[in-house]
Amino acid sequence: MNHLNDSQLAELKHMLLEQKKDLEKHFEQNGQVNAQLGETLTDSTGELSSYDNHPADIGTETFERSRDMAINDSLQDELEQVNAALQRIKDGTYGICVESGEEIPFERLQAIPYTAYTVEHTPTRELSNDRPVEEQVMTPPPKGAGEVRQRNAGRFDDAGAWDAVEKYGTSNSPATAAKRDVTDYDENI
């Protein structure tokens, strides 16, 4: 720890304590929300059933829950790193890379005060595999879903789209009238 003077160490410790306070405040303020993330969708939303909801609403809720879970995981990991950095300050090993034993530059510690690695030895981060409970019961779309749409992509995107569907009539056209001439439409079929 000889490369950090007392004022630098005091500045970094202050930054770590402020960051810890902010992270703990987040978890205190969102305690009820965080507890609900482990519940099922119907329990957390207060709905008796999700069958009457539009699938897009359920998809939005599932997305929101997975996003909140990812944010909480990230913030919890950051809080653990901050606590570990504060412990390294107490132990006298703060500012030394745990991988290589090299000194971590002061500028890097100012940017990421909880880091325990030099830039060269920073481990790669793994993505969390925690997923919302609802994804366990979601069924994939049927095989081939969307293939016809993809094959016919752009078919009605031209100016003649109305001409292509006009032969079937509109709600105010003779095609829907009780006495229509079917022979006019038979030749187009």
Side-chain angles (χ1 to χ4, degrees):
M1 197 160 54
N2 55 8
H3 73 290
L4 298 174
N5 62 40
D6 290 340
S7 66
Q8 291 173 329
L9 191 58
E11 176 187 339
L12 294 169
K13 185 175 182 178
H14 176 72
M15 290 171 67
L16 286 166
L17 291 172
E18 285 295 314
Q19 195 168 9
K20 179 179 178 173
K21 185 174 93 176
D22 291 343
L23 290 168
E24 288 174 343
K25 184 177 179 182
H26 164 78
F27 288 113
E28 286 174 17
Q29 289 177 342
N30 297 307
Q32 181 65 25
V33 173
N34 294 336
Q36 290 175 345
L37 290 177
E39 298 176 352
T40 64
L41 181 63
T42 54
D43 289 341
S44 67
T45 60
E47 297 279 338
L48 295 175
S49 170
S50 61
Y51 292 117
D52 60 342
N53 290 340
H54 190 278
D57 293 334
I58 296 169
T60 300
E61 185 66 30
T62 302
F63 166 77
E64 296 286 337
R65 287 168 52 95
S66 65
R67 185 199 60 204
D68 291 344
M69 287 172 67
I71 289 170
N72 284 341
D73 284 349
S74 177
L75 292 177
Q76 183 63 41
D77 182 50
E78 189 175 323
L79 180 60
E80 290 170 6
Q81 291 181 48
V82 167
N83 286 331
L86 289 168
Q87 185 61 46
R88 286 192 305 276
I89 288 175
K90 288 179 184 176
D91 297 342
T93 59
Y94 181 76
I96 305 297
C97 179
V98 297
E99 183 74 25
S100 66
E102 298 173 7
E103 296 176 347
I104 302 172
F106 176 66
E107 293 78 15
R108 176 165 171 75
L109 292 170
Q110 280 183 309
I112 311 170
Y114 55 82
T115 190
Y117 302 95
T118 58
V119 173
E120 298 81 17
H121 295 100
T122 301
T124 57
R125 294 184 63 172
E126 297 294 324
L127 295 177
S128 173
N129 289 328
D130 293 341
R131 304 299 302 166
V133 180
E134 288 74 24
E135 287 186 1
Q136 296 174 9
V137 295
M138 293 172 74
T139 57
K143 183 177 180 340
E147 289 178 5
V148 174
R149 186 180 71 225
Q150 291 171 5
R151 197 170 34 244
N152 296 325
R155 185 172 179 180
F156 291 109
D157 288 344
D158 58 0
W162 173 250
D163 295 332
V165 295
E166 183 180 29
K167 66 182 176 184
Y168 298 106
T170 64
S171 62
N172 57 4
S173 73
T176 58
K179 296 180 180 178
R180 64 178 184 181
D181 186 8
V182 180
T183 57
D184 291 343
Y185 296 102
D186 287 341
E187 64 186 342
N188 294 328
I189 296 179

